[in-house]
């Protein structure tokens, strides 16, 4: 029997209200459950969708403190499909809004910025996905990410990432510039 959902979690979910569910039909796993699992598992060290689902099944009792998970945990294929369909810019905007609330002031923080190619993202005619990330060293979390434009490099994405963050007073390090 699921536990009663804690009301303070509604604030976290409201930060992702602007993110539309890309699925066209009614699905057994609501988007807020998928988002909550993915963010929780990845911040706990999960590195792929298989690991995310394993983590979520292990932590199902804890997850049910925040959302009902009436249909259990979605498969790794569901996570992969839904996150591939999400509007990446909207997700990024929602995620950055959440990070700003967790780290309202970056003054004095060390923020390395680096670009990486996402392994396994190449798909036929579509090339590798390249992301530029800002990392909060002390907190051990990503503050934001920007996908680089096709046939571009991370140098052009860095200003966009910095514009999305309030880095006043922080020490920024990067190897691209």
């Amino acid at each position: 029997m699921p536990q009663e959902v804690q009301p303070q979690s509604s604030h976290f979910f409201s930060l992702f209200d602007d993110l539309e569910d890309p699925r066209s039909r009614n699905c057994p796993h609501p988007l807020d459950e998928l988002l909550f699992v993915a963010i929780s598992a990845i911040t706990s060290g999960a590195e792929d969708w298989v690991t995310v689902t394993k983590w979520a099944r292990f932590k199902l009792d804890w997850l049910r403190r925040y959302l009902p998970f009436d249909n259990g945990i979605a498969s790794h294929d569901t996570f992969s499909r839904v996150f591939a369909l999400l509007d990446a810019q909207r997700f990024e905007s929602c995620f950055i809004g959440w990070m700003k609330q967790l780290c309202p002031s970056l003054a004095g923080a060390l923020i390395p910025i680096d670009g990486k190619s996402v392994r396994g993202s190449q798909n036929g005619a579509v090339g590798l996905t390249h992301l530029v990330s800002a990392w909060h060293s002390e907190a051990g979390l990503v503050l934001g990410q920007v996908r680089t434009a096709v046939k571009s490099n991370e140098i052009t994405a860095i200003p966009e990432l910095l514009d999305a963050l309030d880095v006043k007073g922080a020490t920024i390090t990067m190897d691209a510039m």
Side-chain angles (χ1 to χ4, degrees):
M1 186 81 174
Q3 301 174 10
E4 185 175 328
V5 174
Q6 295 185 9
Q8 70 267 24
S9 62
S10 63
H11 177 68
F12 169 82
F13 301 113
S14 70
L15 296 170
F16 290 86
D17 281 347
D18 289 341
L19 191 60
E20 293 180 28
D21 193 332
R23 300 169 290 179
S24 60
R25 60 184 173 84
N26 193 7
C27 299
H29 301 285
L31 183 60
D32 59 351
E33 289 182 0
L34 297 174
L35 291 169
F36 186 55
V37 165
I39 291 171
S40 299
I42 290 167
T43 57
S44 297
E47 295 184 2
D48 57 39
W49 296 124
V50 171
T51 312
V52 165
T53 56
K54 286 179 182 179
W55 179 92
R57 289 182 182 118
F58 182 72
K59 294 291 192 177
L60 185 56
D61 288 340
W62 178 82
L63 291 165
R64 284 186 168 146
R65 292 172 47 194
Y66 302 97
L67 289 171
F69 290 90
D70 291 333
N71 295 307
I73 302 301
S75 71
H76 68 277
D77 289 329
T78 298
F79 279 98
S80 177
R81 189 172 43 257
V82 171
F83 276 82
L85 293 171
L86 281 177
D87 181 325
Q89 288 181 324
R90 274 200 181 161
F91 178 79
E92 175 189 14
S93 176
C94 295
F95 187 84
I96 288 173
W98 178 52
M99 286 291 99
K100 283 182 178 178
Q101 291 195 359
L102 289 178
C103 304
S105 173
L106 298 175
L110 174 61
I111 312 295
I113 294 180
D114 194 20
K116 298 287 182 216
S117 296
V118 180
R119 199 172 70 189
S121 63
Q122 191 168 9
N123 182 8
V126 178
L128 278 173
T129 298
H130 301 283
L131 300 173
V132 176
S133 304
W135 177 258
H136 191 294
S137 294
E138 187 177 329
L141 51 87
V142 173
L143 298 172
Q145 286 185 325
V146 173
R147 185 179 188 161
T148 62
V150 177
K151 296 191 178 187
S152 182
N153 59 39
E154 61 190 71
I155 292 173
T156 60
I158 291 171
E160 183 181 342
L161 179 59
L162 291 174
D163 286 344
L165 302 170
D166 179 9
V167 294
K168 184 176 182 180
T171 301
I172 307 296
T173 63
M174 57 190 85
D175 60 4
M177 297 188 86

